[in-house]
Amino acid sequence: MPTVLVVDDQLLIRAGLVSLLNAAPGLSVAGEACDGEEAVRLAEATTPDVVLMDLRMPGTDGITATRRILRRAADTGDAAPRILVLTTFDLDEYVYNALRAGACGFLLKETPPERLVAAVHTVASGDMLFAPTVTRRLIEAYHPGPTPPGEIAPQWHTVTGRERDVLRLVATGATNTEVARQLFISEATVKTHLNRAMGKLGLSSRAQVVVFAYETALVTPGGPTSLPCPHPDEGGPG
């Protein structure tokens, strides 16, 4: 059963979320935090599957807390929680920076209860929670343009051509099944390439893959959402 850490500085909102999630089938609340600092501490103490993270909080905000939680998991080798951020506005620089930090999706605070519960289940299962079109709009609004070559992760040169193909397709919103179909490889091979590329680049979520791909011009807003299909015999073993 997925466990959820609820983080919000407003007591009434936090209490409402806790009540909702405790009453939802198949979910349980691991704890609740009133700010980012407490969220970091409780994430380490309770190891939740999902963190429902408010962005704007006094002191340590949700973006900083997200970075710290995921960095600690990477440093210790523990399984990282899936971080789902709560926001008032979808086209928001805070949302963009949260996705850069490793959040796997976002929800508007006005989201109906049943959709919020479904969203928690979605991210707990490993999926991200926003449409590529929303991501493109965020990037077009807030990122300063392609990252200069000298500032791209130095491990980029170790990413193989096939791994880049997988990253590019994932960044356009393709599922593993769709990537496998386009590249004439198995879904297991897609997962292997994706996980290897993410490991090399220090990316912890598919959301970060999307942001990275746009910021490095691996994918461009308005560009193609598929690759030229190779002949099956030219696709190689993956």
Side-chain angles (χ1 to χ4, degrees):
M1 177 184 294
T3 58
V4 187
L5 172 62
V6 178
V7 185
D8 198 293
D9 65 318
Q10 297 184 50
L11 176 59
L12 289 178
I13 291 177
R14 191 170 71 250
L17 291 169
V18 168
S19 296
L20 171 67
L21 294 170
N22 272 331
L27 294 175
S28 66
V29 174
E32 53 181 292
C34 64
D35 58 31
E37 195 65 37
E38 188 176 21
V40 174
R41 180 177 61 79
L42 286 179
E44 180 177 358
T46 65
T47 60
D49 298 298
V50 177
V51 178
L52 196 56
M53 179 78 77
D54 188 18
L55 287 182
R56 290 177 170 86
M57 296 180 288
T60 302
D61 65 16
I63 297 169
T64 303
T66 294
R67 290 195 185 100
R68 288 175 57 186
I69 289 169
L70 295 179
R71 186 183 305 121
R72 182 197 168 277
D75 289 345
T76 61
D78 294 338
R82 311 283 294 175
I83 298 183
L84 179 60
V85 300
L86 291 169
T87 180
T88 306
F89 307 103
D90 55 355
L91 280 181
D92 186 329
E93 189 170 8
Y94 274 79
V95 175
Y96 174 66
N97 287 326
L99 299 181
R100 292 191 75 206
C104 59
F106 63 90
L107 283 175
L108 294 177
K109 287 194 173 183
E110 62 190 30
T111 299
E114 63 276 8
R115 288 186 59 189
L116 187 146
V117 169
V120 171
H121 280 293
T122 295
V123 298
S125 69
D127 292 329
M128 61 183 184
L129 194 72
F130 52 90
T133 53
V134 175
T135 309
R136 286 196 289 270
R137 286 161 57 204
L138 280 167
I139 291 169
E140 288 170 354
Y142 297 111
H143 95 97
T147 304
E151 297 180 16
I152 297 175
Q155 298 84 358
W156 180 232
H157 73 278
T158 68
V159 178
T160 67
R162 182 46 58 92
E163 288 168 354
R164 293 187 190 205
D165 287 343
V166 171
L167 287 174
R168 186 180 298 116
L169 289 171
V170 167
T172 65
T175 65
N176 287 353
T177 301
E178 292 165 341
V179 174
R181 188 180 303 122
Q182 284 208 48
L183 297 180
F184 298 101
I185 57 179
S186 69
E187 287 188 52
T189 301
V190 170
K191 291 179 182 177
T192 297
H193 285 314
L194 180 60
N195 289 337
R196 284 178 179 169
M198 290 174 65
K200 291 174 182 178
L201 298 170
L203 305 176
S204 61
S205 72
R206 292 174 81 103
Q208 279 188 310
V209 169
V210 176
V211 173
F212 178 88
Y214 279 99
E215 291 193 337
T216 56
L218 184 64
V219 174
T220 57
T225 59
S226 61
L227 299 174
C229 289
H231 185 278
D233 294 336
E234 297 172 349

